[in-house]
């Protein structure tokens, strides 16, 4: 998948090979070879990356990228939809090592940088609709990421909390609507509610209650902290919302980005990758690293993390399975 290829890389003078016979060219930038298929220079096209690391190479299958509309040709409707999952960038309470849960705190400067970097990784992937939690750190991540997108569309939060809020936030220009991307916020995508642990320092809590007890609260699947949610409880609401609201968008051919939280995204990934309750409790998600899935014929295919402008990365790791990206 063509993920976040920098303008510098595209404009560089590395050798370019073009074959008119099969409408294909290859372009090498460092350890990345860009493979282009389709009509040139206009019309819809397919982009793929071949990345080499040491003596190994990995190939990411090409995914249809719609035309920019300037060629005069109507692009064929793709049978595939992209699903991008992003855990929010570092928050102020992440930085302070506090249990955050559903407390609404913003990003740190590092979190802002992580969100911008995430946007660069996905800047060439079409996005039609964005879902976030109701918490500001996820919304900031979505907005900052979209500012890096090649289409330069404006993300607009949909206010459907009341009839008046919906009416007052209407856009009456069809042209403006075409240049916008709806952002839908949902509490069901919120972080797991940590109950009476919210606001407490994680290390001090471990000292007070014991490391084993705190580890059980944090990493067990079905044991909640005092007056809080277990991962199982979080999964019930997050996965139900995903099935009811997001999957129909993908089935309709829409490309979707979800900016949410460690536990709500772990729940969704558990559903997509069919992880067991033992596998999911060991799943760790890095802040600000996007994960790409392709929805095709009713099935989800994991494509990993789109390649960044300068280097590849690791999206997630577990004791049971490791997801290395290139």
């Amino acid at each position: 998948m063509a993920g976040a290829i920098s303008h510098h890389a595209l404009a560089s003078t590395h050798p370019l090979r073009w074959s008119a016979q099969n409408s294909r060219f290859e372009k090498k930038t460092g350890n990345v070879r860009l493979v282009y298929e389709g009509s040139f220079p206009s019309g819809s096209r397919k982009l793929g990356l071949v990345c080499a690391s040491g003596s190994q190479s990995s190939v990411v299958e090409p995914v249809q990228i719609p035309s920019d509309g300037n060629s005069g040709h109507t692009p064929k409707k793709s049978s595939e939809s992209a699903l991008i999952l992003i855990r929010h960038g570092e928050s102020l309470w992440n930085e302070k090592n506090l249990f955050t849960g559903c407390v609404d705190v913003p990003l740190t400067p590092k979190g802002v940088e992580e969100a911008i970097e995430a946007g660069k990784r996905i800047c060439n992937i079409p996005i039609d609709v964005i879902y976030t939690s109701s918490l500001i750190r996820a919304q900031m991540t979505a907005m900052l990421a979209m500012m890096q997108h090649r289409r330069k569309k404006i993300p607009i939060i949909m206010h459907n909390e009341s009839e008046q809020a919906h009416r007052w936030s209407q856009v009456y220009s069809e042209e403006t609507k075409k240049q916008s991307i709806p952002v839908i916020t949902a509490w069901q995508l919120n972080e797991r509610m940590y109950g009476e642990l919210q606001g407490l320092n994680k290390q001090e809590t471990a000292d007070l209650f014991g490391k084993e007890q705190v580890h059980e609260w944090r990493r067990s699947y079905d044991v909640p902290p005092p007056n809080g949610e277990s991962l199982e409880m979080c999964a019930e609401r997050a996965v139900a919302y995903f099935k009811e609201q997001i999957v129909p968008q993908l089935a309709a051919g829409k490309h979707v980005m979800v900016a949410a939280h460690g536990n709500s995204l772990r729940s969704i990934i558990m559903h997509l990758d069919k992880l067991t309750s033992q596998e999911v409790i060991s799943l760790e998600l890095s802040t600000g690293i996007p994960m790409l899935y392709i929805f095709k014929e009713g099935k989800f295919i994991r494509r990993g993390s789109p390649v960044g402008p300068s280097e590849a990365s690791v999206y997630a790791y577990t004791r049971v399975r490791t997801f290395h990206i290139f």
Side-chain angles (χ1 to χ4, degrees), residues 15-221:
L16 179 70
R17 292 186 293 173
W18 165 252
S19 170
Q21 183 176 2
N22 60 6
S23 299
R24 172 188 177 95
F25 73 71
E26 297 183 6
K27 176 188 183 79
K28 193 168 184 181
T29 304
N31 69 336
V32 177
R33 187 166 80 252
L34 175 65
V35 180
Y36 180 110
E37 295 181 350
S39 56
F40 182 80
S42 61
S44 68
R45 64 273 193 195
K46 289 185 178 181
L47 293 173
L49 290 177
V50 180
C51 301
S53 177
S55 60
Q56 298 180 335
S57 64
S58 301
V59 178
V60 181
E61 296 180 15
V63 176
Q64 187 79 14
I65 297 181
S67 167
D68 59 10
N70 296 325
S71 64
H73 300 290
T74 302
K76 294 180 181 179
K77 184 177 180 180
S78 174
S79 60
E80 300 178 350
S81 298
L83 170 65
I84 303 167
L85 306 178
I86 305 179
R87 182 188 175 192
H88 64 80
E90 181 189 66
S91 74
L92 287 167
W93 278 16
N94 290 146
E95 181 184 49
K96 292 181 178 296
N97 200 32
L98 305 180
F99 285 102
T100 310
C102 289
V103 179
D104 208 0
V105 297
L107 301 179
T108 62
K110 177 184 176 182
V112 169
E113 293 176 1
E114 289 176 335
I116 291 172
E117 177 63 22
K120 291 177 181 178
R121 288 175 178 267
I122 62 172
C123 69
N124 287 306
I125 302 175
I127 297 174
D128 299 309
V129 59
I130 299 170
Y131 287 85
T132 79
S133 74
S134 65
L135 302 174
I136 191 64
R137 56 191 184 273
Q139 296 175 20
M140 289 178 69
T141 298
M143 296 296 188
L144 289 166
M146 282 309 302
M147 289 174 64
Q148 316 307 312
H149 203 272
R150 67 183 179 91
R151 292 188 173 181
K152 303 301 180 185
K153 289 190 176 183
I154 308 300
I156 298 179
I157 293 179
M158 301 289 101
H159 286 284
N160 297 318
E161 57 268 27
S162 69
E163 182 180 345
Q164 178 172 302
H166 175 74
R167 187 173 64 252
W168 282 18
S169 61
Q170 287 295 296
V171 176
Y172 293 95
S173 166
E174 292 302 317
E175 184 60 32
T176 300
K177 287 181 181 179
K178 292 178 182 178
Q179 300 304 316
S180 306
I181 294 180
V183 180
I184 300 169
T185 64
W187 69 267
Q188 292 91 335
L189 298 175
N190 282 7
E191 178 58 286
R192 172 184 169 193
M193 204 276 280
Y194 270 100
E196 295 176 14
L197 300 186
Q198 291 184 169
L200 299 182
N201 181 276
K202 294 176 183 178
Q203 183 57 53
E204 293 175 358
T205 305
D207 294 340
L208 179 62
F209 293 98
K211 290 182 179 180
E212 290 186 4
Q213 177 63 76
V214 173
H215 181 78
E216 184 179 40
W217 286 334
R218 295 186 65 190
R219 290 300 180 219
S220 65
Y221 182 66

